[in-house]
Amino acid sequence: MSRKNIGIVNYGAGNINSLKNTLQNLGYKVSTPSLDHEIRSCDSIFLPGVGAFPEAMKALQITGIDQSLKKFYRSGKPMIGICLGFQLFANKSHEIEPTRGLSFIDGEVIQLPQTSFHIGWNEVNFKGNSKKTFSNKNVFFFNHSYFLQLKSNNILGKSSIKSIKNFPAFYKKENLAGVQFHPEKSQENGILFLDSLLKEMLND
Amino acid sequence: MIKKRLIGVITVKNSIAVQSMEYSHYLPIGAPEVLIENLERWGVDEIIVLSIDRSQSKLGPDLKLISRIASMGLTTPLSYGGGIRSLEDAVSVIQSGAERVVLDSLLIKDLNQALQISRVIGAQALIASMPLAFIKNKLMHFDYIKKSHLQVSDHILDAINSRKISEVMIIDHKNEGLKSSFQEELLNHFAKKCNLIAFGGVSTPKQVKKLMGIGSIVGVGVGNFLNYKEHSVDLFKGNLKGSVLRS
Amino acid sequence: MIEGINKLGNPESCKICLYDTNHPLGLTINSDGVCSGCQFHEEKDNLDWVKKLDTLKTLTARYKSKSKKNYDCIIPISGANDSYFIVHVVKNILGMNPLLVTYNKYFNTPLGIRNLANLRIKFDCDILIQNVNPLSVKKIVRNTLPNFGSIYWHCIAGQTVFPVQTAIHKQIPLIIWGAHQGNEQVGMFKHEHEVEMTRRYRKDHDLMGFEADDLISTFNNLDESDIWQYRYPDDSDLKKVGVRGIYLGNYIRWDPKAQHELMINKYDYETSKFSRTFDAYDHTDCYNFMNLHDKLKLYKHGYSKVLDHATREIRHKRISRQQGLSIVKKYQLQPSHYENLFSEWLGIDEQALQFVLNQHRSSLFWQEDIPGNWIFKKESNLKHRSFEIEKTFNKNSDLNRKSNIGYITVGKGYP
């Protein structure tokens, strides 16, 4: 079986070394594409993200990467968003100023209630296949103050903090997946999560 | 529910990791990368690297160190402090591989820069490091560059209370490196809704347990005392593993 | 070697001993100009050693085998260095029943083998010897020598891991070491920290940042079968058995010279003159440690073992700093011997060996003025002076012990 080629989309979103290393250790070929043909040629892509929504969308638009992402989404190949990357899949965000997103997911990004910060390791309550896999390994690292609000049957993992219960932590619908937490910064649990998610999505 | 964190604090001086005692006395430990790899293997919840000689030597943040750490493929959250002078520095630190930046002397020198950093990289990516002490029963803020104490600035407290800075690391600098000596009273000055990290003179699991029981505490930092025994993280987490702390 | 360690061209020197901030283990100097290592030694005269010994006795007592069907502890030994003194303390002062373990480093002198046999006979101890097959060992050396400038990686890797593996296999949790090198040289910890054995220290300082698995990812011609013996056990195994390594130097006022002399008198430890140092007690078991290995140290780090010995004696107030400087000048440029044995063992010719060695001369300390002629930038040679301290080292034997010169094959036993 030839090794699958995974691209971590490079739009200046910060450090990607942890994710790259983890994926390589899992046996994948990893690249950091930014040009259209580079993105297109990947078997699967990750959209990472650090910082604020409006800045990130601007960066995607200036580079034209947003168009490449839309094409990739339509191709049906697996696409996974992490933290801000996941939020960018939404229709719109209210962080700093109302900004349109990529509109792959019908939902909006709003601030956590009581201006909470969600920083640290937290439990994710999984639904479906993941529930058994992660029964005692369901703690992951979060670092955000905005979240993607949506009503959907495709929320496969939820998390809770004092000010809000059961907000989306893991979303998956067909070839699109997103996580609010950082699997690449969640030590063993994160590695296990990426491994099982990729196996599932690349074999569909 | 969200867990509290046991944080490994690594102090770096002249590019080597050191034990730091009372902010004045240093003993060599070794290569920061080896310490970090070890902490990750032990299952620490977060790593904070403090390069304590960068501000004084005006060298800016140690981006090379952060890049080397990042290229190890670290899967543990990393925060970095030391020498951050500007927004540009803070962004470089994030791009080099840290999740969050720690500001210390900049808070005193130019709080507006700090607030700008918050606006751009996000408050959740910002930790305020505040070495504090009681001088004649009054809570004072230690300026480690000038080596003098000043009153805790209302502006800094405002920034914290108005959520422009997500977490504050309270450092008991006088007791740093001394056994069982972190003064809990230092925390009382901060509103209950603040997110505080206690660091400086934390040397036993009993202390960790007591601190973790305080509402405003989100994490406890241990520095020197993680280096004396094997499996130190387990030791300090004690029976909090699986409940207050992740296992 | 870990990159990024700041090797300044202009290090700060300690005002008491001969170390400076370029020390490979890291060294700090306080505002009085005293280094962290000297500060550690100053503690030795200010601690309650009676209390410390009590602490040691209490700590070790709970490891004594209740059924008496197992050993109470493991002592890693070589026959040289701290070996005799540690066994003496453990048996005679702590009243424990140890299992001795040793790693065959291949470069064994007849004196070393004799001292090893004498040790286990005089103390009436059981001993386990680990022999890693010569093919793998030589393959490892053929990589570590050109790449790290080290012939000793396998020795230290073996010496530090075999006791830990044995602790797990035989379920003997307590390992008793002598001195903590980081403390004795650079005062990495204070006595009160009671620092214990950690995997981190081994990787950082014993193995120059390279564990067994790092060797296979670094070198294409080494694989699993060559290095698995040097792999540190898993944390889960360590925790299951409760493996713990302690250092006697945290509980006993450590003075190697005095300790050796006690062992010479009580247990007939034999010693030897060395060409590159005035110390006659340490490293008697190895043809290379005070020769080829020491030469490499001088090439790479700009100083050699005699400086460590001189620093030690300065700190024990047996010589002055000035005498220390002079005695270092006398010995550090002396020739190293027995390199032919090494070349033969490894299967390379002596010229090729010298070529590889020269690659590791640091330009901070060495300059080639004309091809093949190297100048040591630091100090000049001092040949003919004699020092009082030299006379106080009891040299009662010789590395070769009146037998044929050559590496002793371990397993053959001592006749």
Side-chain angles (χ1 to χ4, degrees):
Chain A
M1 185 178 95
S2 73
R3 288 198 301 160
K4 299 279 187 174
N5 169 18
I6 303 189
I8 305 172
V9 177
N10 181 10
Y11 64 105
N15 167 243
I16 48 165
N17 274 322
S18 302
L19 183 57
K20 190 168 177 196
N21 231 278
T22 301
L23 296 175
Q24 282 172 336
N25 288 339
L26 289 173
Y28 297 99
K29 261 173 28 199
V30 184
S31 60
T32 52
S34 49
L35 301 174
D36 187 63
H37 72 272
E38 293 172 339
I39 293 173
R40 236 183 309 137
S41 67
C42 295
D43 294 314
S44 166
I45 59 172
F46 276 86
L47 187 66
V50 166
F53 195 104
E55 279 291 317
M57 271 315 294
K58 234 177 269 166
L60 290 179
Q61 283 155 353
I62 288 175
T63 55
I65 291 177
D66 61 334
Q67 299 306 319
S68 306
L69 294 177
K70 287 176 180 163
K71 276 189 256 173
F72 197 92
Y73 173 54
R74 290 194 292 268
S75 76
K77 289 192 279 186
M79 188 152 106
I80 303 164
I82 296 178
C83 196
L84 177 62
F86 167 45
Q87 292 176 358
L88 290 168
F89 292 162
N91 294 335
K92 181 178 180 181
S93 167
H94 295 272
E95 183 176 6
I96 300 175
E97 61 195 11
T99 312
R100 286 193 63 186
L102 295 165
S103 300
F104 301 155
I105 299 177
D106 186 12
E108 289 190 3
V109 178
I110 59 173
Q111 196 168 25
L112 289 167
Q114 297 161 36
T115 61
S116 313
F117 294 109
H118 187 199
I119 302 171
W121 296 78
N122 201 352
E123 291 161 326
V124 174
N125 283 315
F126 288 101
K127 221 170 77 172
N129 296 336
S130 309
K131 196 179 171 110
K132 209 175 175 190
T133 318
F134 294 97
S135 55
N136 64 342
K137 288 177 188 295
N138 66 336
V139 181
F140 300 89
F141 186 75
F142 289 82
N143 186 15
H144 62 116
S145 49
Y146 282 77
F147 76 102
L148 209 171
Q149 184 181 63
L150 69 158
K151 277 193 171 55
S152 163
N153 292 329
N154 302 107
I155 300 172
L156 299 181
K158 295 180 183 166
S159 199
S160 302
I161 53 175
K162 227 194 275 185
S163 58
I164 172 172
K165 302 278 177 272
N166 297 318
F167 62 89
F170 172 37
Y171 170 96
K172 184 166 166 292
K173 183 181 180 189
E174 287 148 15
N175 68 315
L176 189 73
V179 281
Q180 185 57 72
F181 53 87
H182 287 273
E184 81 285 10
K185 288 282 159 170
S186 298
Q187 294 180 357
E188 268 176 28
N189 291 359
I191 296 170
L192 181 63
F193 181 84
L194 287 168
D195 191 22
S196 63
L197 180 65
L198 282 168
K199 280 195 175 110
E200 198 185 314
M201 291 184 89
L202 286 166
N203 290 328
D204 270 345
Chain B
M1 256 324 198
I2 194 161
K3 305 286 180 194
K4 300 205 175 187
R5 285 166 269 147
L6 185 73
I7 303 169
V9 181
I10 296 179
T11 302
V12 179
K13 186 176 194 286
N14 286 336
S15 302
I16 57 171
V18 295
Q19 286 196 68
S20 173
M21 280 109 172
E22 300 165 84
Y23 266 50
S24 58
H25 191 60
Y26 308 97
L27 298 177
I29 305 178
E33 297 91 321
V34 180
L35 262 79
I36 285 168
E37 179 189 49
N38 191 71
L39 282 176
E40 174 157 280
R41 211 188 72 244
W42 278 349
V44 80
D45 299 325
E46 183 180 353
I47 294 168
I48 296 181
V49 172
L50 299 173
S51 285
I52 58 174
D53 51 354
R54 304 292 295 196
S55 284
Q56 260 160 316
S57 54
K58 299 193 169 60
L59 288 169
D62 195 346
L63 299 178
K64 286 201 184 126
L65 172 64
I66 303 170
S67 301
R68 281 200 308 274
I69 296 168
S71 62
M72 283 161 54
L74 193 66
T75 55
T76 304
L78 174 72
S79 302
Y80 171 89
I84 298 169
R85 307 157 290 197
S86 62
L87 172 63
E88 197 184 329
D89 282 346
V91 170
S92 302
V93 165
I94 300 285
Q95 289 187 331
S96 298
E99 269 66 61
R100 305 199 284 156
V101 311
V102 181
L103 299 181
D104 194 313
S105 56
L106 191 62
L107 297 174
I108 297 173
K109 201 166 168 211
D110 189 349
L111 184 62
N112 283 325
Q113 273 285 307
L115 296 176
Q116 219 208 338
I117 292 171
S118 171
R119 278 192 291 276
V120 175
I121 68 173
Q124 72 272 9
L126 204 54
I127 302 172
S129 159
M130 296 183 72
L132 301 174
F134 287 109
I135 311 281
K136 293 185 186 151
N137 289 327
K138 197 161 178 222
L139 185 73
M140 301 288 269
H141 185 184
F142 186 58
D143 178 341
Y144 78 91
I145 306 275
K146 297 206 173 110
K147 294 199 177 26
S148 62
H149 288 92
L150 54 154
Q151 249 186 304
V152 182
S153 148
D154 280 331
H155 297 300
I156 295 179
L157 292 175
D158 273 341
I160 296 166
N161 291 327
S162 62
R163 321 296 263 172
K164 300 205 173 65
I165 298 172
S166 57
E167 296 184 342
V168 188
M169 180 161 68
I170 309 290
I171 305 181
D172 188 345
H173 68 94
K174 283 189 164 184
N175 285 317
E176 194 195 27
L178 302 181
K179 289 186 189 168
S180 287
S181 54
F182 179 88
Q183 283 191 282
E184 283 174 31
E185 293 75 28
L186 293 171
L187 308 172
N188 297 343
H189 202 81
F190 295 83
K192 279 204 174 64
K193 63 166 183 175
C194 290
N195 300 322
L196 306 178
I197 297 168
F199 174 60
V202 179
S203 68
T204 67
K206 197 169 164 197
Q207 260 183 305
V208 170
K209 191 167 185 177
K210 189 147 189 281
L211 287 164
M212 294 291 187
I214 297 172
S216 51
I217 287 284
V218 294
V220 174
V222 183
N224 303 338
F225 294 95
L226 282 178
N227 293 296
Y228 307 150
K229 296 197 185 340
E230 189 59 269
H231 307 308
S232 290
V233 167
D234 275 347
L235 231 105
F236 279 93
K237 285 193 177 185
N239 61 12
L240 294 179
K241 269 181 101 172
S243 55
V244 175
L245 299 174
R246 71 180 181 109
S247 51
Chain C
M1 231 67 68
I2 300 289
E3 298 170 340
I5 302 260
N6 193 8
K7 293 290 185 221
L8 307 163
N10 231 2
E12 198 187 333
S13 297
C14 177
K15 73 176 194 198
I16 297 180
C17 75
L18 305 179
Y19 287 148
D20 63 42
T21 49
N22 267 350
H23 193 292
L25 297 178
L27 186 86
T28 58
I29 297 187
N30 70 11
S31 48
D32 293 325
V34 179
C35 80
S36 40
C38 287
Q39 289 167 51
F40 180 80
H41 279 263
E42 278 167 16
E43 288 181 6
K44 292 185 182 188
D45 292 324
N46 297 315
L47 292 170
D48 182 349
W49 292 109
V50 173
K51 196 167 171 207
K52 288 235 169 263
L53 187 61
D54 269 333
T55 306
L56 178 64
K57 285 180 177 168
T58 311
L59 191 166
T60 53
R62 46 177 260 248
Y63 286 93
K64 289 189 180 167
S65 163
K66 290 180 183 68
S67 65
K68 302 256 188 261
K69 285 183 186 162
N70 204 356
Y71 302 96
D72 298 332
C73 63
I74 287 173
I75 303 179
I77 55 152
S78 60
N81 304 355
D82 301 335
S83 303
Y84 275 61
F85 186 71
I86 303 173
V87 180
H88 158 70
V89 169
V90 170
K91 283 213 82 170
N92 300 334
I93 298 178
L94 302 178
M96 298 177 93
N97 174 28
L99 172 64
L100 309 186
V101 308
T102 189
Y103 168 82
N104 174 23
K105 61 186 164 301
Y106 281 89
F107 311 138
N108 310 301
T109 61
L111 180 56
I113 296 301
R114 178 269 170 196
N115 276 336
L116 185 63
N118 184 57
L119 172 66
R120 69 174 168 78
I121 292 166
K122 285 271 167 44
F123 285 101
D124 200 19
C125 285
D126 294 353
I127 183 167
L128 266 185
I129 298 177
Q130 186 197 30
N131 272 301
V132 176
N133 77 82
L135 237 67
S136 293
V137 172
K138 288 181 194 182
K139 260 174 110 180
I140 290 172
V141 176
R142 276 195 211 101
N143 282 288
T144 60
L145 174 55
N147 290 286
F148 304 153
S150 169
I151 61 171
Y152 240 67
W153 187 94
H154 84 89
C155 304
I156 304 191
Q159 284 163 2
T160 52
V161 83
F162 183 50
V164 186
Q165 294 163 342
T166 308
I168 290 173
H169 294 152
K170 296 204 169 289
Q171 303 199 38
I172 309 168
L174 185 66
I175 302 172
I176 301 184
W177 303 87
H180 186 283
Q181 190 181 56
N183 285 354
E184 295 296 320
Q185 290 197 12
V186 300
M188 200 173 279
F189 301 95
K190 297 177 167 199
H191 287 91
E192 73 182 49
H193 297 148
E194 291 179 31
V195 64
E196 297 185 5
M197 170 185 87
T198 61
R199 179 172 167 176
R200 191 282 305 176
Y201 182 93
R202 175 181 184 259
K203 174 167 184 163
D204 207 342
H205 299 301
D206 290 332
L207 304 181
M208 304 170 292
F210 290 86
E211 287 185 299
D213 285 287
D214 298 313
L215 285 195
I216 31 182
S217 55
T218 307
F219 301 130
N220 293 327
N221 53 2
L222 286 178
D223 59 49
E224 176 73 16
S225 60
D226 298 312
I227 59 90
W228 67 270
Q229 306 91 325
Y230 300 97
R231 187 177 280 131
Y232 210 78
D234 272 334
D235 283 320
S236 53
D237 289 332
L238 294 170
K239 286 186 219 183
K240 224 184 294 174
V241 174
V243 176
R244 191 178 171 190
I246 64 171
Y247 296 90
L248 294 183
N250 286 322
Y251 309 95
I252 293 173
R253 189 186 182 282
W254 208 254
D255 181 347
K257 182 174 191 281
Q259 284 155 204
H260 271 121
E261 283 161 6
L262 183 66
M263 295 300 101
I264 292 169
N265 292 332
K266 276 179 97 94
Y267 296 107
D268 204 18
Y269 178 71
E270 285 188 7
T271 64
S272 170
K273 190 177 189 316
F274 286 99
S275 62
R276 291 181 52 76
T277 185
F278 58 92
D279 183 294
Y281 303 153
D282 287 343
H283 313 298
T284 49
D285 59 333
C286 182
Y287 273 114
N288 292 317
F289 193 92
M290 284 312 311
N291 290 294
L292 181 55
H293 176 72
D294 200 41
K295 189 159 122 175
L296 276 162
K297 188 173 158 116
L298 187 67
Y299 284 10
K300 296 188 302 183
H301 299 296
Y303 76 100
S304 58
K305 199 68 193 167
V306 64
L307 192 143
D308 290 321
H309 290 148
T311 292
R312 184 188 72 201
E313 298 307 309
I314 291 169
R315 289 167 171 174
H316 282 285
K317 302 189 174 63
R318 292 189 279 250
I319 57 174
S320 67
R321 190 174 194 274
Q322 193 49 48
Q323 287 173 321
L325 278 168
S326 304
I327 207 167
V328 165
K329 282 186 199 180
K330 174 174 175 176
Y331 282 98
Q332 72 182 350
L333 295 178
Q334 292 301 315
S336 84
H337 300 298
Y338 305 117
E339 286 179 21
N340 57 326
L341 292 182
F342 177 80
S343 310
E344 215 178 288
W345 174 82
L346 193 62
I348 59 172
D349 78 54
E350 290 186 54
Q351 271 188 319
L353 175 61
Q354 192 54 51
F355 178 79
V356 172
L357 297 179
N358 284 335
Q359 309 271 286
H360 290 285
R361 293 193 198 240
S362 164
S363 56
L364 282 175
F365 315 114
W366 295 91
Q367 193 180 351
E368 195 176 22
D369 61 348
I370 49 174
N373 189 42
W374 293 89
I375 299 178
F376 185 47
K377 291 183 192 175
K378 281 174 74 181
E379 308 287 341
S380 61
N381 207 345
L382 177 75
K383 283 189 183 34
H384 299 294
R385 225 184 110 179
S386 90
F387 297 84
E388 262 313 304
I389 187 91
E390 292 171 284
K391 298 186 194 122
T392 67
F393 280 84
N394 180 355
K395 304 160 188 81
N396 59 28
S397 183
D398 175 79
L399 290 187
N400 301 308
R401 244 189 145 250
K402 298 180 188 123
S403 72
N404 289 326
I405 297 172
Y407 293 171
I408 297 287
T409 307
V410 174
K412 182 170 162 283
Y414 179 66

